[in-house]
Structure formats: C-alpha cells, structure tokens
Amino acid sequence: MTHIGHSEKVLFMRIFIAVLVLIFSLQSLTKSDDIRKFEIEGMSLGDSLLDFFSEEEIISSIDEFQSDKNYSVILISKNLKKYDAMEFHFKNNDKSYSIVGIAGGVFYKKNFNKCLKKQKEVVDIIAKNFNFQKPYYDEGNHPLDKSGKTKFFRYNFMVSPKSKFYDIGISCFNFSKELESKGYVDNFNIIINSEEYNTYLSKIGL
C-alpha cells in the first residue's frame, strides 16, 4: 500500500476528525463478545500492522496532525477493496505496531441515500453475526457545524459488559453546502477502538 498525498490527507483528516468529535462514553449494558473477530478490510484490533505493511510504509504514512507523544495514526487510501480510506492507531512504544484503533470511510458525493443504505447493511451484518446488544441510534446536528445544517446519523455498539465506551461506531455524515465548498464530502464511516484506547481518548478530551 502507498501512503496518501497531501490533498487527500486533508480530506481524510476532516472526515475522521468529524467522527472523533462525536465520540462519547456511556455505561455499558451489553453482552460480552470478542471485538477482535470484527474485521475491516481483513484487519482487526490487536493485529500487527507489520502483517500488512512494511515498517517503512507505516512510518511514512504517519499523520503528524492526529498523532501525539503516546499514539500514532496512519492514513491509507491505496489498494483497498471496500473503503476509500482507512485509519490505523497504534501505541508509539509498541514495536509490533498492534492496532488499537481502526476506521474506514466511504465517500458518497451527491448520493447521501446510498450512504444510509451502506450503513444499514453494515449494522445488519453486525447484528446477525455478533452477540451484541441492539445498537444505540441517534441523529442530529453535527457539533462541527454551528449553523446546524450538517447532520449525522449514527449507530453505536458496545461489546464488553465492563466497558464504559461504545466500541463500534457506524455513522453517515451529510455535510452542509458551506462545508462541502471547503472540501468536506458526505460519507459513511465505521470506527472501532480498544477499551484502552477509548480510555485514553476520553482523558485527552476526544
């Protein structure tokens, strides 16, 4: 795989930042299951990035904007089968580059209904194949857009009965014309984080 160019990186950062703005914690009420069995493009939490990329590819794909002193983020857009872009998170001192967070995005320019269809398909697949509780659904104005014209539609799944966070988030974003003129694109997005990483994001206010 090849890391993304500057213009693509700006767009993908906007998409994933939009997702991070909506992350929040709640008390878990769900049955236990193994989230590591859930795959995006054949990759799961706990997998080593070295099984899919060379160390040189990983390092050259690091997004400095989203990375910090504790965790790094890489953005990938090439050679993907189902997603237009993917994001991987790993701990900086982990020499095996184990995945602690993974996200995939699909862009739906001028075709938001197709995004909602994709969202329903993925939610149904999870409900059918995993022993998770019925997902929590919400929709509303995206806090990124103070005009109230940008909307989000979101399903959240919890996995562990001891978790304080949603483990899987599946969202569709319908951006306002104003944000579209700035490069934002309507998109489907799925994000999966480990409990440890969710705890860290909560501590730093994400």
Side-chain angles (χ1 to χ4, degrees):
M1 289 189 181
T2 306
H3 62 87
I4 65 178
H6 176 72
S7 60
E8 291 175 300
K9 179 177 288 187
V10 172
L11 174 58
F12 299 149
M13 282 194 298
R14 287 171 177 168
I15 298 304
F16 291 116
I17 289 171
V19 176
L20 290 175
V21 171
L22 285 171
I23 291 178
F24 61 94
S25 62
L26 285 176
Q27 185 63 38
S28 174
L29 299 172
T30 59
K31 298 178 181 179
S32 179
D33 211 321
D34 191 353
I35 194 173
R36 292 172 298 178
K37 295 180 181 178
F38 191 90
E39 296 182 346
I40 300 180
E41 291 279 351
M43 293 170 269
S44 305
L45 293 183
D47 286 350
S48 170
L49 286 171
L50 294 173
D51 291 336
F52 308 96
F53 313 102
S54 68
E55 187 167 24
E56 181 180 355
E57 286 175 318
I58 295 171
I59 294 174
S60 65
S61 298
I62 290 177
D63 173 32
E64 300 294 343
F65 181 79
Q66 294 192 77
S67 302
D68 62 23
K69 64 180 181 180
N70 295 304
Y71 289 88
S72 289
V73 181
I74 67 171
L75 301 174
I76 299 293
S77 67
K78 304 297 183 181
N79 302 322
L80 300 176
K81 296 178 180 179
K82 296 182 179 180
Y83 293 86
D84 294 320
M86 292 193 67
E87 183 176 285
F88 302 94
H89 303 245
F90 61 90
K91 205 165 187 177
N92 289 341
N93 61 1
D94 181 6
K95 298 301 182 181
S96 65
Y97 298 96
S98 297
I99 299 171
V100 298
I102 183 172
V106 180
F107 304 128
Y108 291 103
K109 190 174 184 179
K110 308 299 182 182
N111 198 346
F112 186 68
N113 286 335
K114 192 172 182 180
C115 180
L116 294 176
K117 181 179 179 181
K118 172 72 172 180
Q119 183 184 48
K120 184 178 185 303
E121 289 175 353
V122 174
V123 169
D124 288 346
I125 289 173
I126 294 175
K128 180 179 179 180
N129 293 282
F130 291 86
N131 188 32
F132 299 164
Q133 190 185 35
K134 183 178 179 180
Y136 172 78
Y137 175 79
D138 66 333
E139 59 182 69
N141 300 332
H142 199 295
L144 184 71
D145 184 355
K146 301 304 180 183
S147 73
K149 296 179 181 179
T150 296
K151 308 295 182 179
F152 73 88
F153 304 81
R154 174 179 58 182
Y155 289 88
N156 290 292
F157 286 90
M158 284 182 171
V159 177
S160 171
K162 297 181 180 180
S163 177
K164 296 181 180 180
F165 306 92
Y166 287 119
D167 303 283
I168 303 175
I170 304 167
S171 305
C172 276
F173 298 106
N174 191 359
F175 289 103
S176 66
K177 291 182 179 179
E178 289 80 3
L179 287 182
E180 286 179 342
S181 69
K182 296 179 180 179
Y184 289 84
V185 179
D186 293 348
N187 69 91
F188 164 87
N189 198 291
I190 179 168
I191 183 167
I192 306 173
N193 288 331
S194 68
E195 178 75 8
E196 176 186 356
Y197 191 50
N198 268 333
T199 299
Y200 176 75
L201 292 175
S202 177
K203 288 180 179 179
I204 63 175
L206 291 176

